[in-house]
Amino acid sequence: MLEVTWPAGPDPGQGSFDARVAEKLATLPPITTPQAARQAREEGISVFPVKPPSDRAVERWVPGPAGDIRLRVIPPRSAARGVYLHVHGGGWVLGRPHHVDYLNERLADSTGLVVVSPYYRLAPEDPFPAGPDDVAAVAAWVADHAQGEWGTAARFVGGESAGAHLAALALLRLRDERGSVPFRAANLVYGVFDLSLTPSARSFGDPPVTFAQTTLEWMIGHFLGEADPADPRVSPLRADLGALCPALFTIGTRDPLVDDSLFMASRWAAAGNETVLAVHPGGHHAFDYYDEGPGPAARDRMYAFLRSHLP
């Protein structure tokens, strides 16, 4: 079953919001190396909202395929009703869980879910399959330890952009290795699901308020290493998608990855999985990071979807 929601047109204030984002982007230094981009983000030089880290976050380590993996854990203010494995975005090259503490706090408090987010290995230092291996290992750990750690077996998974890609790969790997998916639902937000590039990713040009095709190709090149983008283990759009959990796909119409979500949601549904596709007019990449434009409505839709699958 495929349910498609297409909210009302862009907010009248969308234009001024986009102008402010474009102005901010124009002031940022160009990305030269992954290391320079990471340092800039840590220093608060970013188009994304810069928020202080959560005072509720705690960190711990769990076993991984190449050594222990650090986790950042944010509990809800209420009693835990489940566990949400959040995989951060950043094109497999950038980003860290603490950058989105403010979003994970909101999700935890709006759903009652403990948010667990891994510091998975980044490219180009660790190209494919390092990141997917780490996320799959943490997904397996959450599946096996949620009840003992937090007193609940209700498990969810999600992420944005490259994080949605890694979350989808983890679901496929657990299904194949364990015979079933140990998560109740997936929240996949403007994911990149075909690393050979969908038509929208190839034809979007260089829009003023989102990333260019050249930036996407730069990130994919770092991530792939010697891997083939047509390999289903790399591009989940090309995989067998049967016997997976319900999923919400969220995308904005001004995102170069719009086809990735349109195509992936269609294939997810055609494989027999419960599927919701939420298309937000005017939404650019990472629009849910902001409290202007369609971001708040998109987040509320995600929270409602996760709550609807709680036991």
Side-chain angles (χ1 to χ4, degrees), residues 189-200:
V189 187
Y190 44 79
V192 50
F193 300 118
D194 186 349
L195 276 66
S196 65
L197 300 188
T198 56
S200 64

Side-chain angles (χ1 to χ4, degrees), residues 48-283:
F48 301 116
V50 177
K51 306 284 187 179
S54 170
D55 58 7
R56 279 189 274 161
V58 296
E59 295 191 343
R60 59 174 303 169
W61 299 79
V62 299
D68 288 349
I69 301 170
R70 181 162 55 128
L71 305 182
R72 192 163 180 84
V73 181
I74 296 181
R77 294 193 185 279
S78 59
R81 302 181 65 192
V83 180
Y84 180 75
L85 172 59
H86 171 255
V87 189
H88 72 78
W92 312 278
V93 174
L94 311 173
R96 295 279 77 179
H98 58 273
H99 295 151
V100 289
D101 274 2
Y102 73 105
L103 292 176
N104 285 336
E105 273 193 349
R106 293 176 184 180
L107 188 147
D109 292 339
S110 296
T111 62
L113 300 177
V114 178
V115 180
V116 179
S117 191
Y119 286 81
Y120 58 84
R121 285 173 288 170
L122 299 176
E125 296 88 345
D126 293 291
F128 180 88
D133 285 350
D134 286 354
V135 173
V138 174
W141 183 89
V142 168
D144 294 337
H145 294 86
Q147 182 69 58
E149 293 284 338
W150 297 287
T152 174
R155 299 168 296 245
F156 301 81
V157 64
E160 63 283 347
S161 196
H165 165 263
L166 294 172
L169 290 183
L171 287 170
L172 291 167
R173 188 179 302 192
L174 289 184
R175 179 201 64 187
D176 293 344
E177 293 178 352
R178 299 189 173 208
S180 63
V181 172
F183 290 86
R184 299 181 70 90
N187 178 40
L188 304 176
V189 187
Y190 44 79
V192 50
F193 300 118
D194 186 349
L195 276 66
S196 65
L197 300 188
T198 56
S200 64
R202 290 182 178 275
S203 63
F204 223 82
D206 189 6
V209 293
T210 190
F211 62 84
Q213 179 181 338
T214 52
T215 302
L216 179 59
E217 291 173 335
W218 178 82
M219 290 175 165
I220 289 174
H222 283 313
F223 171 71
L224 283 178
E226 300 300 319
D228 179 0
D231 188 331
R233 295 171 299 177
V234 172
S235 292
L237 182 64
R238 299 169 179 264
D240 170 10
L241 300 180
L244 293 173
C245 60
L248 167 65
F249 294 87
T250 298
I251 191 66
T253 57
R254 299 179 66 194
D255 191 324
L257 299 176
V258 62
D259 281 352
D260 287 70
S261 286
L262 298 181
F263 296 172
M264 191 67 166
S266 297
R267 290 210 61 235
W268 200 277
N273 308 300
E274 179 185 332
T275 311
V276 180
L277 171 63
V279 181
H280 292 269

Side-chain angles (χ1 to χ4, degrees), residues 3-42:
E3 174 191 340
V4 180
T5 62
W6 196 297
D11 187 281
Q14 181 78 36
S16 59
F17 168 55
D18 287 351
R20 288 194 295 276
V21 174
E23 182 179 358
K24 177 67 174 178
L25 277 168
T27 68
L28 299 179
I31 293 177
T32 54
T33 66
Q35 295 77 16
R38 293 169 193 161
Q39 181 178 349
R41 182 70 186 275
E42 293 297 340

